[in-house]
Amino acid sequence: ETGVTQSPTHLIKTRGQQVTLRCSSQSGHNTVSWYQQALGQGPQFIFQYYREEENGRGNFPPRFSGLQFPNYSSELNVNALELDDSALYLCASSSGPPGQVGEQYFGPGTRLTVT
Amino acid sequence: GESVGLHLPTLSVQEGDNSIINCAYSNSASDYFIWYKQESGKGPQFIIDIRSNMDKRQGQRVTVLLNKTVKHLSLQIAATQPGDSAVYFCAENGEPRNQFYFGTGTSLTVIP
């Protein structure tokens, strides 16, 4: 078990609604990355936060946004939900400043279903 | 952009046999790789990592081999057990650091 926790575990939303997903990083980790994992696919990088600032973004539209708090926990917000947003959303934490790569640990994920 | 691919989408092995899962990557600048195990309904679990200045790294029952010449990774699992049944991903680091590119995964099934 990693120290990364996510909430909620499951969520059902309607197309057009907004959703907020939450993540608590492992103790001592100051970097949080969010990934989207569609069924049968590998995780796809959404964005990363380091010390409360966005530190890189993948190929996702602006309606995907995030926050990181002083305790390094993080939120992923998705506006104007679309059916294709249905996926497992994963949070991963790691330590170290940008430019330094190291072990990354994932949380259990939030399963989002958009109907 | 980077791409990470796996040679075999599915693999079935007898309990007690050794398993080998392969992975190709395309970005020669990648210098750090992680193997993850993902069980149904769970997040990816860190198994073992390797940096590009190494050719081999061993853990408990697992070994990762890195061949930079042909941009190939493999994960070897010794004495495979039913609990090893899962999807296995290799991931390579990209930019920003600690962003990882994943392949589609290999599904390992262990036959008792």
Side-chain angles (χ1 to χ4, degrees):
Chain A
E1 291 283 330
T2 70
V4 184
T5 61
Q6 293 186 243
S7 63
T9 55
H10 295 86
L11 201 53
I12 300 174
K13 289 285 189 178
T14 303
R15 189 172 48 185
Q17 286 188 315
Q18 178 267 341
V19 69
T20 298
L21 310 181
R22 295 179 174 82
C23 169
S24 292
S25 59
Q26 183 160 308
S27 178
H29 284 185
N30 53 19
T31 301
V32 173
S33 301
W34 285 92
Y35 291 78
Q36 179 195 66
Q37 186 177 24
L39 202 60
Q41 302 292 319
Q44 299 292 313
F45 176 77
I46 303 175
F47 44 56
Q48 180 183 98
Y49 279 83
Y50 171 71
R51 291 189 175 180
E52 303 178 59
E53 293 196 0
E54 188 177 292
N55 178 46
R57 189 179 185 92
N59 189 25
F60 281 81
R63 59 190 185 82
F64 286 78
S65 63
L67 283 173
Q68 188 180 31
F69 301 99
N71 65 355
Y72 304 132
S73 65
S74 178
E75 286 183 355
L76 165 65
N77 298 290
V78 187
N79 294 321
L81 283 167
E82 300 177 0
L83 297 179
D84 285 349
D85 295 334
S86 295
L88 181 67
Y89 287 85
L90 296 161
C91 165
S93 78
S94 54
S95 62
Q100 180 177 321
V101 64
E103 296 178 11
Q104 177 179 245
Y105 296 96
F106 283 86
T110 293
R111 172 70 63 187
L112 173 65
T113 302
V114 182
T115 61
Chain B
E2 293 87 345
S3 71
V4 180
L6 300 175
H7 293 310
L8 293 173
T10 61
L11 178 65
S12 294
V13 299
Q14 288 290 140
E15 181 178 357
D17 286 352
N18 296 335
S19 303
I20 300 175
I21 300 171
N22 296 303
C23 177
Y25 64 95
S26 61
N27 186 358
S28 56
S30 293
D31 60 2
Y32 181 63
F33 305 87
I34 299 178
W35 279 100
Y36 286 97
K37 170 187 179 184
Q38 188 172 27
E39 297 173 280
S40 181
K42 296 184 178 180
Q45 175 190 350
F46 180 100
I47 301 174
I48 191 167
D49 60 353
I50 189 168
R51 295 189 184 274
S52 59
N53 60 353
M54 302 173 71
D55 297 322
K56 179 179 179 179
R57 189 153 191 241
Q58 288 184 294
Q60 187 175 16
R61 283 202 306 118
V62 295
T63 300
V64 55
L65 300 177
L66 174 62
N67 185 330
K68 295 180 288 294
T69 302
V70 295
K71 290 182 284 188
H72 182 268
L73 274 168
S74 67
L75 177 70
Q76 301 177 2
I77 305 173
T80 314
Q81 302 169 359
D84 295 327
S85 294
V87 177
Y88 289 81
F89 294 96
C90 68
E92 64 177 311
N93 73 290
E95 287 294 339
R97 307 302 260 177
N98 289 327
Q99 174 196 169
F100 288 86
Y101 292 92
F102 287 77
T104 53
T106 292
S107 177
L108 173 66
T109 300
V110 180
I111 304 166

